[in-house]
């Protein structure tokens, strides 16, 4: 009988140690890859760019099921799925916003909800409901954490006798949510995108829940960053905003990942929302070219680039009173005040979104 890894869904096999699903033990419940991720944080085989999104969406579209769309609230823009209505026509979708605990507590649920609804409307995406979740990995069942209770209520309200499919971008927290939601679930979780490799069935009370492989966006930094770098760029605790006041044209280097130049007309401010392991170097905009040319990969690190001239530039004029400059997969800067223009340089594979401020 064919057996599947209970951690990632891959078909278990003992013939090819370099292929997915390999285990040296005939009676193993986990493949060797899942075992090493859990015990040693060793990915062995990286699937950051190896899962075909269209194949995953096509398989989901064939099922008559309620869809829980898991979205990382901190990395919201890179978690949006362009054309979701086209890929999943007529499907009932509930948006499950994870990692609420990474966002500053000064951001109320009401304001966060308004932001999410506005962005969904701008992207032409319709959902039946929205649930925000926090502390799913460390304290999902704490008496003051009602996240799982609210997810269960949403399932009961919208399921209508159908099974449930959990989908979302890689590293959005799908498997973490399911491990908290289902007592019998033992899915492999890690900060490495692409941990779940196939559909995994989980029995619930009277229906089946399906965990699905994470969908990858080729314009997210997480898709291109080496596995060893992920722990530096992905935040694991609440973000502490770093605030900078500026009175002249300034340049900000986020390690060697991002260069942000702010051209001012007067007083302005920049607030950075990124992992605290990424250092920010601030200086005059007129000296930024020389800084990046001389120090990329040394003072300006970590980086995905060896040549600053190969990085892609994005420009935005002053369009909102408070402007978020979102680096897909990494975080964002919020620029406000009397500024004229912002210029951003990132790895050429990474997208930048300019939006009305979340906070």
């Amino acid at each position: 009988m064919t057996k599947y890894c209970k951690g990632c869904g891959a078909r278990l096999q003992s013939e090819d140690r370099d292929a997915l699903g390999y285990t040296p033990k005939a009676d193993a419940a986990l493949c060797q890859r899942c075992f090493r991720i859990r015990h040693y944080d060793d990915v062995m085989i990286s699937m950051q760019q190896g899962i075909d999104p269209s194949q995953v969406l096509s398989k989901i579209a064939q099922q008559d099921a309620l869809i829980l769309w898991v979205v990382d609230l901190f990395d919201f823009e890179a978690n949006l799925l362009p054309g979701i209505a086209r890929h999943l026509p007529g499907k009932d979708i509930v948006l499950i916003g994870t990692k609420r605990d990474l966002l500053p507590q000064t951001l109320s649920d009401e304001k966060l909800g308004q932001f999410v609804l506005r962005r969904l409307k701008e992207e032409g995406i319709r959902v039946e409901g929205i649930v925000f979740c926090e502390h799913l990995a460390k304290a999902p069942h704490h008496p003051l954490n009602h996240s799982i209770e609210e997810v269960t209520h949403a399932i009961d309200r919208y399921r209508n006798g159908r099974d449930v499919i959990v989908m979302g971008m890689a590293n959005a927290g799908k498997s973490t949510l399911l491990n908290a939601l289902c007592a019998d679930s033992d899915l492999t979780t890690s900060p490495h995108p692409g941990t779940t490799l196939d559909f995994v069935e989980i029995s619930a009370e009277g229906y089946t829940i399906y965990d699905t492989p994470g969908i990858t966006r080729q314009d997210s930094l997480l898709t291109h960053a080496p596995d060893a770098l992920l722990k530096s760029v992905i935040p694991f605790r609440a973000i502490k905003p770093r605030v900078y006041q500026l009175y002249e044209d300034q340049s900000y280097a986020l390690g060697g990942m991002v260069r942000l130049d702010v051209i001012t007309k007067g007083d302005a401010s920049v607030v950075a929302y990124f992992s605290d392991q990424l250092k920010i170097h601030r200086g005059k905009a007129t000296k930024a070219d020389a800084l990046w040319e001389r120090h990329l990969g040394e003072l300006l690190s970590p980086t995905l680039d060896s040549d600053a001239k190969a990085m892609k530039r994005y420009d935005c004029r002053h369009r909102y009173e408070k402007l978020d400059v979102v680096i897909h997969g990494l975080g964002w800067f919020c620029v406000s005040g009397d500024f004229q223009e912002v210029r951003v340089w990132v790895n050429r594979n990474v997208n930048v979104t300019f939006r009305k401020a979340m906070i």
Side-chain angles (χ1 to χ4, degrees):
M1 181 179 69
T2 301
K3 292 179 61 178
Y4 295 88
C5 174
K6 70 176 184 178
C8 68
R11 184 181 67 81
L12 293 174
Q13 54 89 16
S14 301
E15 293 77 35
D16 186 351
R17 64 173 54 249
D18 295 324
L20 296 174
Y22 174 77
T23 174
K25 300 179 180 179
D27 59 346
L30 294 172
C31 68
Q32 191 175 68
R33 176 177 179 270
C34 280
F35 181 85
R36 295 194 64 84
I37 287 176
R38 292 185 184 207
H39 295 281
Y40 306 109
D41 195 31
D42 177 9
V43 178
M44 293 180 63
I45 304 172
S46 177
M47 294 299 293
Q48 281 180 276
Q49 303 180 50
I51 299 173
D52 184 359
S54 61
Q55 185 177 353
V56 175
L57 291 170
S58 177
K59 192 170 181 178
I60 293 173
Q62 295 171 16
Q63 307 294 320
D64 180 20
L66 171 67
I67 296 174
L68 300 186
W69 177 25
V70 180
V71 172
D72 179 343
L73 293 169
F74 176 76
D75 194 19
F76 187 82
E77 300 302 328
N79 273 247
L80 287 178
L81 183 58
I84 188 172
R86 183 180 72 255
H87 291 293
L88 304 172
K91 298 296 184 182
D92 291 335
I93 300 174
V94 176
L95 188 150
I96 309 296
T98 59
K99 307 184 186 180
R100 170 69 176 91
D101 47 295
L102 294 183
L103 301 176
Q105 291 301 312
T106 53
L107 176 63
S108 67
D109 282 351
E110 180 181 5
K111 187 171 182 181
L112 178 59
Q114 292 172 352
F115 164 81
V116 171
L117 286 171
R118 183 181 76 242
R119 289 295 292 119
L120 292 178
K121 183 177 180 180
E122 290 170 351
E123 297 295 326
I125 299 172
R126 177 182 176 275
V127 296
E128 300 298 321
I130 299 173
V131 178
F132 296 146
C133 296
E134 60 184 0
H135 299 297
L136 291 180
K138 295 183 178 180
H141 302 295
H142 189 281
L144 298 180
N145 188 354
H146 302 290
S147 301
I148 296 303
E149 179 183 338
E150 293 178 10
V151 172
T152 301
H153 176 72
I155 292 174
D156 292 342
R157 180 176 179 181
Y158 298 109
R159 189 172 68 82
N160 296 327
R162 298 169 294 177
D163 291 334
V164 175
I165 293 176
V166 179
M167 60 159 276
M169 294 296 172
N171 202 48
K174 299 179 301 302
S175 297
T176 302
L177 169 67
L178 284 170
N179 283 338
L181 184 65
C182 306
D184 296 332
S185 177
D186 188 23
L187 300 168
T188 299
T189 62
S190 85
H192 305 282
T195 303
T196 303
L197 302 178
D198 204 345
F199 281 55
V200 179
E201 296 185 15
I202 304 167
S203 296
E205 295 184 9
Y207 62 98
T208 300
I209 300 179
Y210 295 90
D211 188 19
T212 62
I215 299 168
T216 56
R217 282 187 58 151
Q218 295 303 313
D219 61 358
S220 170
L221 184 140
L222 297 182
T223 307
H224 302 281
D227 287 314
L229 191 59
L230 293 177
K231 284 188 176 181
S232 297
V233 302
I234 298 176
F236 293 95
R237 53 180 176 264
I239 293 295
K240 294 182 179 179
R242 286 174 271 182
V243 182
Y244 304 90
Q245 304 298 329
L246 58 155
Y247 313 98
E248 60 180 354
D249 298 349
Q250 292 272 297
S251 183
Y252 300 83
L254 183 70
M257 294 289 193
V258 184
R259 171 182 167 183
L260 171 76
D261 287 7
V262 180
I263 310 304
T264 68
K265 295 187 293 182
D267 297 350
S269 67
V270 172
V271 184
Y273 299 89
F274 298 95
S275 166
D276 58 10
Q277 295 192 57
L278 292 173
K279 294 182 179 180
I280 295 179
H281 300 270
R282 175 186 182 186
K284 293 183 178 181
T286 52
K287 297 183 178 180
D289 285 344
L291 175 70
W292 280 82
E293 183 177 343
R294 295 172 186 171
H295 298 292
L296 180 61
E298 298 173 357
L299 176 66
L300 303 184
S301 63
T303 183
L304 299 182
D305 296 277
S306 58
D307 183 359
K309 294 178 181 179
M311 299 172 75
K312 186 174 181 180
R313 173 174 163 174
Y314 295 82
D315 295 357
C316 183
R317 306 288 292 181
H318 191 167
R319 87 171 59 155
Y320 302 117
E321 182 179 349
K322 295 177 67 177
L323 173 73
D324 280 350
V325 182
V326 184
I327 316 303
H328 285 212
L330 196 59
W332 72 95
F333 293 98
C334 179
V335 185
S336 62
D338 195 11
F339 67 94
Q340 178 178 336
E341 183 181 8
V342 295
R343 302 164 185 166
V344 190
W345 289 261
V346 294
N347 178 270
R348 62 174 57 255
N349 294 309
V350 179
N351 194 22
V352 174
T353 292
F354 300 102
R355 72 185 182 196
K356 186 177 180 181
M358 172 193 282
I359 300 174

